[in-house]
PDB file of all heavy atoms in Angstrom:
ATOM      1  N   ARG G 222     -89.176 108.443  77.159  1.00 96.00           N
ATOM      2  CA  ARG G 222     -87.810 108.625  76.616  1.00 96.00           C
ATOM      3  C   ARG G 222     -87.096 109.828  77.235  1.00 96.00           C
ATOM      4  O   ARG G 222     -85.919 110.048  76.974  1.00 96.00           O
ATOM      5  CB  ARG G 222     -87.895 108.781  75.094  1.00 96.00           C
ATOM      6  CG  ARG G 222     -88.185 107.455  74.414  1.00 96.00           C
ATOM      7  CD  ARG G 222     -88.777 107.631  73.035  1.00 96.00           C
ATOM      8  NE  ARG G 222     -87.927 108.403  72.144  1.00 96.00           N
ATOM      9  CZ  ARG G 222     -88.319 108.780  70.929  1.00 96.00           C
ATOM     10  NH1 ARG G 222     -89.509 108.454  70.479  1.00 96.00           N
ATOM     11  NH2 ARG G 222     -87.504 109.478  70.170  1.00 96.00           N
ATOM     12  N   CYS G 223     -87.806 110.629  78.019  1.00 96.00           N
ATOM     13  CA  CYS G 223     -87.168 111.820  78.592  1.00 96.00           C
ATOM     14  C   CYS G 223     -86.418 111.445  79.871  1.00 96.00           C
ATOM     15  O   CYS G 223     -86.988 110.826  80.768  1.00 96.00           O
ATOM     16  CB  CYS G 223     -88.219 112.884  78.904  1.00 96.00           C
ATOM     17  SG  CYS G 223     -87.478 114.347  79.660  1.00 96.00           S
ATOM     18  N   ILE G 224     -85.152 111.787  79.936  1.00 96.00           N
ATOM     19  CA  ILE G 224     -84.362 111.485  81.134  1.00 96.00           C
ATOM     20  C   ILE G 224     -84.208 112.726  82.019  1.00 96.00           C
ATOM     21  O   ILE G 224     -83.380 112.761  82.920  1.00 96.00           O
ATOM     22  CB  ILE G 224     -82.971 110.900  80.775  1.00 96.00           C
ATOM     23  CG1 ILE G 224     -82.191 111.875  79.866  1.00 96.00           C
ATOM     24  CG2 ILE G 224     -83.112 109.524  80.113  1.00 96.00           C
ATOM     25  CD1 ILE G 224     -80.724 111.538  79.705  1.00 96.00           C
ATOM     26  N   ALA G 225     -85.019 113.754  81.743  1.00 95.00           N
ATOM     27  CA  ALA G 225     -85.050 114.979  82.554  1.00 95.00           C
ATOM     28  C   ALA G 225     -83.658 115.600  82.736  1.00 95.00           C
ATOM     29  O   ALA G 225     -83.316 116.108  83.802  1.00 95.00           O
ATOM     30  CB  ALA G 225     -85.697 114.720  83.908  1.00 95.00           C
ATOM     31  N   CYS G 226     -82.888 115.595  81.642  1.00 97.00           N
ATOM     32  CA  CYS G 226     -81.547 116.193  81.722  1.00 97.00           C
ATOM     33  C   CYS G 226     -81.626 117.719  81.660  1.00 97.00           C
ATOM     34  O   CYS G 226     -80.660 118.405  81.955  1.00 97.00           O
ATOM     35  CB  CYS G 226     -80.668 115.658  80.602  1.00 97.00           C
ATOM     36  SG  CYS G 226     -81.190 116.208  78.970  1.00 97.00           S
ATOM     37  N   THR G 227     -82.763 118.255  81.188  1.00 97.00           N
ATOM     38  CA  THR G 227     -83.073 119.696  81.085  1.00 97.00           C
ATOM     39  C   THR G 227     -82.322 120.422  79.953  1.00 97.00           C
ATOM     40  O   THR G 227     -82.440 121.646  79.819  1.00 97.00           O
ATOM     41  CB  THR G 227     -82.877 120.475  82.408  1.00 97.00           C
ATOM     42  OG1 THR G 227     -81.489 120.674  82.661  1.00 97.00           O
ATOM     43  CG2 THR G 227     -83.537 119.790  83.585  1.00 97.00           C
ATOM     44  N   SER G 228     -81.572 119.686  79.154  1.00 97.00           N
ATOM     45  CA  SER G 228     -80.786 120.343  78.094  1.00 97.00           C
ATOM     46  C   SER G 228     -81.659 121.140  77.139  1.00 97.00           C
ATOM     47  O   SER G 228     -81.260 122.205  76.651  1.00 97.00           O
ATOM     48  CB  SER G 228     -80.010 119.313  77.275  1.00 97.00           C
ATOM     49  OG  SER G 228     -79.204 118.552  78.114  1.00 97.00           O
ATOM     50  N   CYS G 229     -82.864 120.626  76.845  1.00 97.00           N
ATOM     51  CA  CYS G 229     -83.742 121.324  75.884  1.00 97.00           C
ATOM     52  C   CYS G 229     -84.078 122.722  76.395  1.00 97.00           C
ATOM     53  O   CYS G 229     -84.022 123.692  75.629  1.00 97.00           O
ATOM     54  CB  CYS G 229     -85.013 120.511  75.634  1.00 97.00           C
ATOM     55  SG  CYS G 229     -85.815 119.948  77.126  1.00 97.00           S
ATOM     56  N   ASN G 230     -84.417 122.820  77.665  1.00 97.00           N
ATOM     57  CA  ASN G 230     -84.758 124.139  78.223  1.00 97.00           C
ATOM     58  C   ASN G 230     -83.532 125.040  78.300  1.00 97.00           C
ATOM     59  O   ASN G 230     -83.613 126.241  78.024  1.00 97.00           O
ATOM     60  CB  ASN G 230     -85.344 124.009  79.631  1.00 97.00           C
ATOM     61  CG  ASN G 230     -86.624 123.197  79.669  1.00 97.00           C
ATOM     62  OD1 ASN G 230     -86.688 122.199  80.356  1.00 97.00           O
ATOM     63  ND2 ASN G 230     -87.622 123.613  78.931  1.00 97.00           N
ATOM     64  N   SER G 258     -86.484 124.527  84.813  1.00 96.00           N
ATOM     65  CA  SER G 258     -86.822 123.635  83.705  1.00 96.00           C
ATOM     66  C   SER G 258     -88.161 122.958  83.972  1.00 96.00           C
ATOM     67  O   SER G 258     -88.346 122.328  85.016  1.00 96.00           O
ATOM     68  CB  SER G 258     -85.735 122.565  83.540  1.00 96.00           C
ATOM     69  OG  SER G 258     -86.225 121.528  82.705  1.00 96.00           O
ATOM     70  N   GLN G 260     -89.073 120.376  82.735  1.00 95.00           N
ATOM     71  CA  GLN G 260     -88.906 118.922  82.665  1.00 95.00           C
ATOM     72  C   GLN G 260     -88.541 118.305  84.021  1.00 95.00           C
ATOM     73  O   GLN G 260     -88.396 117.100  84.146  1.00 95.00           O
ATOM     74  CB  GLN G 260     -87.838 118.565  81.618  1.00 95.00           C
ATOM     75  CG  GLN G 260     -88.207 119.031  80.215  1.00 95.00           C
ATOM     76  CD  GLN G 260     -89.608 118.597  79.818  1.00 95.00           C
ATOM     77  OE1 GLN G 260     -89.842 117.439  79.486  1.00 95.00           O
ATOM     78  NE2 GLN G 260     -90.568 119.515  79.882  1.00 95.00           N
ATOM     79  N   GLN G 277     -94.146 112.495  84.308  1.00 93.00           N
ATOM     80  CA  GLN G 277     -93.321 112.884  83.162  1.00 93.00           C
ATOM     81  C   GLN G 277     -94.188 113.144  81.932  1.00 93.00           C
ATOM     82  O   GLN G 277     -93.907 114.034  81.132  1.00 93.00           O
ATOM     83  CB  GLN G 277     -92.250 111.822  82.892  1.00 93.00           C
ATOM     84  CG  GLN G 277     -91.150 112.273  81.939  1.00 93.00           C
ATOM     85  CD  GLN G 277     -90.428 113.548  82.400  1.00 93.00           C
ATOM     86  OE1 GLN G 277     -90.017 113.658  83.550  1.00 93.00           O
ATOM     87  NE2 GLN G 277     -90.306 114.519  81.504  1.00 93.00           N
ATOM     88  N   THR G 281     -93.659 116.443  79.713  1.00 95.00           N
ATOM     89  CA  THR G 281     -93.276 116.378  78.295  1.00 95.00           C
ATOM     90  C   THR G 281     -94.344 117.040  77.434  1.00 95.00           C
ATOM     91  O   THR G 281     -94.042 117.824  76.528  1.00 95.00           O
ATOM     92  CB  THR G 281     -93.059 114.903  77.869  1.00 95.00           C
ATOM     93  OG1 THR G 281     -91.950 114.413  78.612  1.00 95.00           O
ATOM     94  CG2 THR G 281     -92.768 114.771  76.387  1.00 95.00           C
ATOM     95  N   ARG G 284     -94.082 120.828  77.732  1.00 96.00           N
ATOM     96  CA  ARG G 284     -92.950 121.454  77.029  1.00 96.00           C
ATOM     97  C   ARG G 284     -93.336 121.801  75.590  1.00 96.00           C
ATOM     98  O   ARG G 284     -93.050 122.891  75.098  1.00 96.00           O
ATOM     99  CB  ARG G 284     -91.747 120.497  77.041  1.00 96.00           C
ATOM    100  CG  ARG G 284     -90.565 120.954  76.207  1.00 96.00           C
ATOM    101  CD  ARG G 284     -89.337 120.080  76.436  1.00 96.00           C
ATOM    102  NE  ARG G 284     -89.522 118.695  76.077  1.00 96.00           N
ATOM    103  CZ  ARG G 284     -89.286 118.191  74.871  1.00 96.00           C
ATOM    104  NH1 ARG G 284     -88.824 118.957  73.909  1.00 96.00           N
ATOM    105  NH2 ARG G 284     -89.484 116.906  74.622  1.00 96.00           N
ATOM    106  N   CYS G 307     -82.936 122.397  70.575  1.00 98.00           N
ATOM    107  CA  CYS G 307     -83.420 121.304  71.449  1.00 98.00           C
ATOM    108  C   CYS G 307     -83.250 119.957  70.756  1.00 98.00           C
ATOM    109  O   CYS G 307     -82.950 118.955  71.409  1.00 98.00           O
ATOM    110  CB  CYS G 307     -84.860 121.537  71.903  1.00 98.00           C
ATOM    111  SG  CYS G 307     -86.041 121.714  70.565  1.00 98.00           S
ATOM    112  N   VAL G 310     -79.520 118.966  71.120  1.00 97.00           N
ATOM    113  CA  VAL G 310     -78.972 118.594  72.443  1.00 97.00           C
ATOM    114  C   VAL G 310     -79.688 117.424  73.099  1.00 97.00           C
ATOM    115  O   VAL G 310     -79.133 116.799  73.995  1.00 97.00           O
ATOM    116  CB  VAL G 310     -78.978 119.791  73.439  1.00 97.00           C
ATOM    117  CG1 VAL G 310     -78.081 120.908  72.955  1.00 97.00           C
ATOM    118  CG2 VAL G 310     -80.377 120.309  73.712  1.00 97.00           C
ATOM    119  N   CYS G 311     -80.905 117.103  72.670  1.00 98.00           N
ATOM    120  CA  CYS G 311     -81.662 116.053  73.374  1.00 98.00           C
ATOM    121  C   CYS G 311     -80.997 114.693  73.140  1.00 98.00           C
ATOM    122  O   CYS G 311     -80.916 114.232  71.999  1.00 98.00           O
ATOM    123  CB  CYS G 311     -83.111 116.011  72.902  1.00 98.00           C
ATOM    124  SG  CYS G 311     -84.012 114.709  73.751  1.00 98.00           S
ATOM    125  N   PRO G 312     -80.563 114.026  74.211  1.00 97.00           N
ATOM    126  CA  PRO G 312     -79.860 112.748  74.027  1.00 97.00           C
ATOM    127  C   PRO G 312     -80.792 111.619  73.601  1.00 97.00           C
ATOM    128  O   PRO G 312     -80.331 110.566  73.169  1.00 97.00           O
ATOM    129  CB  PRO G 312     -79.252 112.470  75.410  1.00 97.00           C
ATOM    130  CG  PRO G 312     -80.068 113.259  76.370  1.00 97.00           C
ATOM    131  CD  PRO G 312     -80.614 114.437  75.623  1.00 97.00           C
ATOM    132  N   THR G 313     -82.112 111.818  73.727  1.00 97.00           N
ATOM    133  CA  THR G 313     -83.029 110.726  73.376  1.00 97.00           C
ATOM    134  C   THR G 313     -83.920 111.096  72.180  1.00 97.00           C
ATOM    135  O   THR G 313     -84.971 110.483  71.961  1.00 97.00           O
ATOM    136  CB  THR G 313     -83.891 110.335  74.601  1.00 97.00           C
ATOM    137  OG1 THR G 313     -84.666 111.474  74.992  1.00 97.00           O
ATOM    138  CG2 THR G 313     -83.046 109.889  75.769  1.00 97.00           C
ATOM    139  N   GLU G 314     -83.510 112.132  71.471  1.00 96.00           N
ATOM    140  CA  GLU G 314     -84.141 112.511  70.198  1.00 96.00           C
ATOM    141  C   GLU G 314     -85.628 112.829  70.304  1.00 96.00           C
ATOM    142  O   GLU G 314     -86.432 112.379  69.502  1.00 96.00           O
ATOM    143  CB  GLU G 314     -83.881 111.428  69.140  1.00 96.00           C
ATOM    144  CG  GLU G 314     -82.410 111.322  68.837  1.00 96.00           C
ATOM    145  CD  GLU G 314     -82.067 110.305  67.770  1.00 96.00           C
ATOM    146  OE1 GLU G 314     -82.978 109.794  67.122  1.00 96.00           O
ATOM    147  OE2 GLU G 314     -80.866 110.053  67.607  1.00 96.00           O
ATOM    148  N   ILE G 315     -85.952 113.605  71.345  1.00 97.00           N
ATOM    149  CA  ILE G 315     -87.338 114.076  71.433  1.00 97.00           C
ATOM    150  C   ILE G 315     -87.366 115.608  71.526  1.00 97.00           C
ATOM    151  O   ILE G 315     -88.130 116.194  72.285  1.00 97.00           O
ATOM    152  CB  ILE G 315     -88.128 113.403  72.578  1.00 97.00           C
ATOM    153  CG1 ILE G 315     -87.349 113.456  73.904  1.00 97.00           C
ATOM    154  CG2 ILE G 315     -88.529 111.993  72.212  1.00 97.00           C
ATOM    155  CD1 ILE G 315     -88.167 113.030  75.119  1.00 97.00           C
ATOM    156  N   GLY G 316     -86.493 116.230  70.734  1.00 97.00           N
ATOM    157  CA  GLY G 316     -86.562 117.681  70.557  1.00 97.00           C
ATOM    158  C   GLY G 316     -87.854 118.010  69.820  1.00 97.00           C
ATOM    159  O   GLY G 316     -88.531 117.121  69.288  1.00 97.00           O
TER     160      GLY G 316
HETATM  161  S1  SF4 M 402     -83.258 117.273  76.366  1.00 86.58           S
HETATM  162 FE1  SF4 M 402     -84.575 115.499  75.914  1.00 86.58          FE
HETATM  163  S2  SF4 M 402     -84.155 114.046  77.583  1.00 86.58           S
HETATM  164 FE2  SF4 M 402     -83.347 116.050  78.256  1.00 86.58          FE
HETATM  165  S3  SF4 M 402     -85.061 116.968  79.416  1.00 86.58           S
HETATM  166 FE3  SF4 M 402     -85.258 117.681  77.297  1.00 86.58          FE
HETATM  167  S4  SF4 M 402     -86.663 116.210  76.311  1.00 86.58           S
HETATM  168 FE4  SF4 M 402     -85.917 115.260  78.212  1.00 86.58          FE
END
Side-chain angles (χ1 to χ4, degrees):
R222 286 159 58 187
C223 178
I224 57 168
C226 68
T227 75
S228 304
C229 49
N230 299 121
S258 166
Q260 299 309 284
Q277 193 56 49
T281 295
R284 173 171 61 89
C307 58
V310 297
C311 179
T313 61
E314 296 182 10
I315 50 170

